[in-house]
Amino acid sequence: MDGRPGARREGAGHRALLLPGGLCTDEFYGDVIARAAAAAAGLDLVAVTLPGFGRTAPPADLSMENYARLMGDVSAAEGCDVVVGHSLGANVAIEMAALGVFTGPLVLLSPTFSKADEAAFLGVLDRVGRVPALGPLAWTVMLRAMPRTMRKEMLRGNVPADRARVLADDLGTNDPAFCRRVVRHYYDYLDRHPALAPRLRDSGVRAWVVRGDRDEIGLTDEERRLLEAAPRITLVTVPDAGHMVLVEQPAQVVEVIIEAARAVPSAA
């Protein structure tokens, strides 16, 4: 099984749908899928690219709610009983639970629970992106610079040089016009739901919130207290990892996914 949609691997007891973060494609889950521990545990891993990223065809409706519904359809079609999301993909997973289109366990890798938690540069880019003429230029310049910047960041996170180059170049394939629009919709979503921790808790799903110990995405004390107090939510801190925990520490991520898959019977 190469980690893409298709027939379930023979002998697999559970199947997890893997949703990448913003600007990322399914390539970012390659290191997670390559771990033998998942197959040994009877777990099938299927990664998909959120429509529009990596110059795939975007949906007409770029709202987070629509992405959640689309991924709900994918999870049903692929027979997935666990959903894993990274960054923007984690927020899509939260919305899948909140809308009731997926009720199985979630593994949320570095989600954002409020606008204040987001990386400052992304908020600036969103505001600049809304300015006519200047906005398209800003996104074009950013995407041209991103491969070099992200390659350096991943090398600091001990990602092998060849792998860091592949992933960084993958980020640079995105369409600036699409990115500008989808980030605008994402921030509109954060305005509609300014507190996502209680939204996750109130969905009633079993969820693991996984963050690197040097994650660039914030988590307020209030959000942490709420998540720690929720009986169906488990907080996991991964040592020696930042926001890109799935490529920096894929083995630890797989361990959490396996734990989530084992919770499927009780969740059902």
Side-chain angles (χ1 to χ4, degrees), residues 78-101:
E78 293 296 324
C80 296
D81 44 21
V82 179
V83 167
V84 182
H86 171 242
S87 193
L88 181 70
N91 282 85
V92 170
I94 291 172
E95 195 59 24
M96 290 169 69
L99 294 177
V101 298

Side-chain angles (χ1 to χ4, degrees), residues 17 66-77 92 96 101-102:
L17 178 66
N66 188 53
Y67 272 111
R69 287 188 287 268
L70 291 174
M71 292 304 103
D73 290 343
V74 172
S75 68
V92 170
M96 290 169 69
V101 298
F102 185 80

Side-chain angles (χ1 to χ4, degrees), residues 207-221:
W208 282 255
V209 177
V210 182
R211 294 166 45 81
D213 60 356
R214 48 181 172 78
D215 202 325
E216 298 88 343
I217 298 300
L219 183 69
T220 68
D221 291 342

Side-chain angles (χ1 to χ4, degrees), residues 97-213:
L99 294 177
V101 298
F102 185 80
T103 58
L106 303 178
V107 176
L108 307 172
L109 309 174
S110 193
T112 295
F113 288 108
S114 63
K115 185 182 285 189
D117 293 340
E118 256 301 348
F121 88 91
L122 190 61
V124 172
L125 195 55
D126 175 58
R127 291 192 294 274
V128 173
R130 296 172 187 251
V131 179
L134 181 60
L137 177 61
W139 271 102
T140 299
V141 170
M142 190 278 289
L143 286 171
R144 286 178 179 171
M146 177 165 280
R148 171 183 278 187
T149 301
M150 289 305 299
R151 186 158 54 244
K152 290 180 179 178
E153 287 295 322
M154 284 187 276
L155 289 173
R156 280 197 285 268
N158 296 317
V159 177
D162 289 347
R163 185 64 177 150
R165 185 177 300 108
V166 169
L167 295 174
D169 290 346
D170 192 62
L171 291 170
T173 64
N174 282 283
D175 174 30
F178 165 76
C179 292
R180 179 184 176 218
R181 290 189 296 124
V182 78
V183 168
R184 179 183 301 180
H185 280 274
Y186 169 62
Y187 272 91
D188 289 345
Y189 168 75
L190 293 178
D191 285 334
R192 288 194 299 277
H193 302 291
L196 288 168
R199 189 166 175 79
L200 173 62
R201 177 200 60 197
D202 295 345
S203 73
V205 302
R206 185 76 173 89
W208 282 255
V209 177
V210 182
R211 294 166 45 81
D213 60 356

Side-chain angles (χ1 to χ4, degrees), residues 8-27:
R8 181 175 293 211
R9 179 178 49 80
E10 185 177 353
H14 298 288
R15 183 173 246 202
L17 178 66
L18 313 180
L19 307 179
L23 308 185
C24 303
T25 69
D26 56 3
E27 179 65 39

